[in-house]
PDB file of all heavy atoms in Angstrom:
ATOM      1  N   TYR A 147     108.981 100.581 130.811  1.00  0.00           N
ATOM      2  CA  TYR A 147     109.767 101.784 131.053  1.00  0.00           C
ATOM      3  C   TYR A 147     110.684 101.595 132.266  1.00  0.00           C
ATOM      4  O   TYR A 147     111.844 102.021 132.254  1.00  0.00           O
ATOM      5  CB  TYR A 147     108.868 102.999 131.274  1.00  0.00           C
ATOM      6  CG  TYR A 147     109.645 104.293 131.293  1.00  0.00           C
ATOM      7  CD1 TYR A 147     109.988 104.938 130.108  1.00  0.00           C
ATOM      8  CD2 TYR A 147     110.068 104.851 132.502  1.00  0.00           C
ATOM      9  CE1 TYR A 147     110.723 106.111 130.116  1.00  0.00           C
ATOM     10  CE2 TYR A 147     110.810 106.032 132.526  1.00  0.00           C
ATOM     11  CZ  TYR A 147     111.125 106.651 131.332  1.00  0.00           C
ATOM     12  OH  TYR A 147     111.868 107.812 131.345  1.00  0.00           O
ATOM     13  N   ALA A 148     110.165 100.931 133.293  1.00  0.00           N
ATOM     14  CA  ALA A 148     110.983 100.698 134.486  1.00  0.00           C
ATOM     15  C   ALA A 148     112.139  99.746 134.183  1.00  0.00           C
ATOM     16  O   ALA A 148     113.239  99.884 134.748  1.00  0.00           O
ATOM     17  CB  ALA A 148     110.110 100.129 135.608  1.00  0.00           C
ATOM     18  N   ALA A 149     111.907  98.797 133.290  1.00  0.00           N
ATOM     19  CA  ALA A 149     112.936  97.788 133.000  1.00  0.00           C
ATOM     20  C   ALA A 149     113.973  98.278 132.002  1.00  0.00           C
ATOM     21  O   ALA A 149     115.159  97.973 132.135  1.00  0.00           O
ATOM     22  CB  ALA A 149     112.276  96.515 132.468  1.00  0.00           C
ATOM     23  N   GLY A 150     113.554  99.024 130.990  1.00  0.00           N
ATOM     24  CA  GLY A 150     114.500  99.400 129.929  1.00  0.00           C
ATOM     25  C   GLY A 150     114.319 100.791 129.406  1.00  0.00           C
ATOM     26  O   GLY A 150     114.826 101.114 128.324  1.00  0.00           O
ATOM     27  N   HIS A 151     113.591 101.617 130.139  1.00  0.00           N
ATOM     28  CA  HIS A 151     113.368 103.015 129.759  1.00  0.00           C
ATOM     29  C   HIS A 151     112.721 103.106 128.368  1.00  0.00           C
ATOM     30  O   HIS A 151     111.996 102.214 127.951  1.00  0.00           O
ATOM     31  CB  HIS A 151     114.666 103.808 129.871  1.00  0.00           C
ATOM     32  CG  HIS A 151     115.182 103.856 131.282  1.00  0.00           C
ATOM     33  ND1 HIS A 151     114.626 104.643 132.258  1.00  0.00           N
ATOM     34  CD2 HIS A 151     116.204 103.191 131.891  1.00  0.00           C
ATOM     35  CE1 HIS A 151     115.260 104.481 133.403  1.00  0.00           C
ATOM     36  NE2 HIS A 151     116.227 103.593 133.211  1.00  0.00           N
ATOM     37  N   TRP A 152     113.007 104.192 127.659  1.00  0.00           N
ATOM     38  CA  TRP A 152     112.258 104.459 126.423  1.00  0.00           C
ATOM     39  C   TRP A 152     112.443 103.387 125.338  1.00  0.00           C
ATOM     40  O   TRP A 152     111.460 103.008 124.676  1.00  0.00           O
ATOM     41  CB  TRP A 152     112.635 105.834 125.889  1.00  0.00           C
ATOM     42  CG  TRP A 152     111.752 106.253 124.749  1.00  0.00           C
ATOM     43  CD1 TRP A 152     112.102 106.424 123.449  1.00  0.00           C
ATOM     44  CD2 TRP A 152     110.355 106.531 124.827  1.00  0.00           C
ATOM     45  NE1 TRP A 152     111.015 106.796 122.701  1.00  0.00           N
ATOM     46  CE2 TRP A 152     109.923 106.870 123.526  1.00  0.00           C
ATOM     47  CE3 TRP A 152     109.425 106.524 125.867  1.00  0.00           C
ATOM     48  CZ2 TRP A 152     108.607 107.204 123.241  1.00  0.00           C
ATOM     49  CZ3 TRP A 152     108.111 106.851 125.588  1.00  0.00           C
ATOM     50  CH2 TRP A 152     107.713 107.184 124.279  1.00  0.00           C
ATOM     51  N   PRO A 153     113.637 102.869 125.099  1.00  0.00           N
ATOM     52  CA  PRO A 153     113.758 101.829 124.062  1.00  0.00           C
ATOM     53  C   PRO A 153     112.865 100.613 124.329  1.00  0.00           C
ATOM     54  O   PRO A 153     112.332 100.021 123.378  1.00  0.00           O
ATOM     55  CB  PRO A 153     115.242 101.448 124.118  1.00  0.00           C
ATOM     56  CG  PRO A 153     115.914 102.681 124.607  1.00  0.00           C
ATOM     57  CD  PRO A 153     114.964 103.275 125.610  1.00  0.00           C
ATOM     58  N   ALA A 154     112.666 100.267 125.595  1.00  0.00           N
ATOM     59  CA  ALA A 154     111.806  99.132 125.915  1.00  0.00           C
ATOM     60  C   ALA A 154     110.348  99.454 125.619  1.00  0.00           C
ATOM     61  O   ALA A 154     109.584  98.595 125.140  1.00  0.00           O
ATOM     62  CB  ALA A 154     111.981  98.743 127.384  1.00  0.00           C
ATOM     63  N   VAL A 155     109.931 100.687 125.882  1.00  0.00           N
ATOM     64  CA  VAL A 155     108.558 101.098 125.562  1.00  0.00           C
ATOM     65  C   VAL A 155     108.338 101.055 124.049  1.00  0.00           C
ATOM     66  O   VAL A 155     107.305 100.583 123.563  1.00  0.00           O
ATOM     67  CB  VAL A 155     108.278 102.513 126.114  1.00  0.00           C
ATOM     68  CG1 VAL A 155     106.923 103.025 125.635  1.00  0.00           C
ATOM     69  CG2 VAL A 155     108.328 102.507 127.632  1.00  0.00           C
ATOM     70  N   VAL A 156     109.318 101.549 123.313  1.00  0.00           N
ATOM     71  CA  VAL A 156     109.228 101.519 121.847  1.00  0.00           C
ATOM     72  C   VAL A 156     109.126 100.080 121.343  1.00  0.00           C
ATOM     73  O   VAL A 156     108.293  99.764 120.478  1.00  0.00           O
ATOM     74  CB  VAL A 156     110.439 102.239 121.223  1.00  0.00           C
ATOM     75  CG1 VAL A 156     110.520 101.969 119.719  1.00  0.00           C
ATOM     76  CG2 VAL A 156     110.351 103.736 121.485  1.00  0.00           C
ATOM     77  N   ALA A 157     109.945  99.196 121.879  1.00  0.00           N
ATOM     78  CA  ALA A 157     109.910  97.793 121.458  1.00  0.00           C
ATOM     79  C   ALA A 157     108.549  97.172 121.763  1.00  0.00           C
ATOM     80  O   ALA A 157     107.979  96.441 120.941  1.00  0.00           O
ATOM     81  CB  ALA A 157     111.023  97.011 122.156  1.00  0.00           C
ATOM     82  N   PHE A 158     108.010  97.450 122.940  1.00  0.00           N
ATOM     83  CA  PHE A 158     106.702  96.921 123.350  1.00  0.00           C
ATOM     84  C   PHE A 158     105.607  97.355 122.374  1.00  0.00           C
ATOM     85  O   PHE A 158     104.803  96.540 121.903  1.00  0.00           O
ATOM     86  CB  PHE A 158     106.392  97.399 124.768  1.00  0.00           C
ATOM     87  CG  PHE A 158     105.003  97.130 125.247  1.00  0.00           C
ATOM     88  CD1 PHE A 158     104.466  95.850 125.222  1.00  0.00           C
ATOM     89  CD2 PHE A 158     104.219  98.169 125.743  1.00  0.00           C
ATOM     90  CE1 PHE A 158     103.166  95.604 125.682  1.00  0.00           C
ATOM     91  CE2 PHE A 158     102.931  97.935 126.201  1.00  0.00           C
ATOM     92  CZ  PHE A 158     102.401  96.654 126.164  1.00  0.00           C
ATOM     93  N   THR A 159     105.568  98.638 122.049  1.00  0.00           N
ATOM     94  CA  THR A 159     104.518  99.131 121.157  1.00  0.00           C
ATOM     95  C   THR A 159     104.715  98.640 119.722  1.00  0.00           C
ATOM     96  O   THR A 159     103.730  98.356 119.022  1.00  0.00           O
ATOM     97  CB  THR A 159     104.472 100.669 121.184  1.00  0.00           C
ATOM     98  OG1 THR A 159     105.773 101.198 120.893  1.00  0.00           O
ATOM     99  CG2 THR A 159     104.025 101.173 122.549  1.00  0.00           C
ATOM    100  N   LEU A 160     105.954  98.504 119.277  1.00  0.00           N
ATOM    101  CA  LEU A 160     106.183  98.011 117.919  1.00  0.00           C
ATOM    102  C   LEU A 160     105.778  96.552 117.766  1.00  0.00           C
ATOM    103  O   LEU A 160     105.293  96.143 116.708  1.00  0.00           O
ATOM    104  CB  LEU A 160     107.654  98.207 117.532  1.00  0.00           C
ATOM    105  CG  LEU A 160     108.098  99.643 117.266  1.00  0.00           C
ATOM    106  CD1 LEU A 160     109.576  99.695 116.901  1.00  0.00           C
ATOM    107  CD2 LEU A 160     107.253 100.292 116.168  1.00  0.00           C
ATOM    108  N   VAL A 161     105.957  95.770 118.806  1.00  0.00           N
ATOM    109  CA  VAL A 161     105.495  94.377 118.765  1.00  0.00           C
ATOM    110  C   VAL A 161     103.977  94.334 118.624  1.00  0.00           C
ATOM    111  O   VAL A 161     103.428  93.569 117.817  1.00  0.00           O
ATOM    112  CB  VAL A 161     105.960  93.609 120.020  1.00  0.00           C
ATOM    113  CG1 VAL A 161     105.224  92.273 120.142  1.00  0.00           C
ATOM    114  CG2 VAL A 161     107.465  93.367 119.978  1.00  0.00           C
TER     115      VAL A 161
END
Side-chain angles (χ1 to χ4, degrees):
Y147 190 83
H151 297 285
W152 189 247
V155 173
V156 168
F158 170 54
T159 54
L160 288 180
V161 167

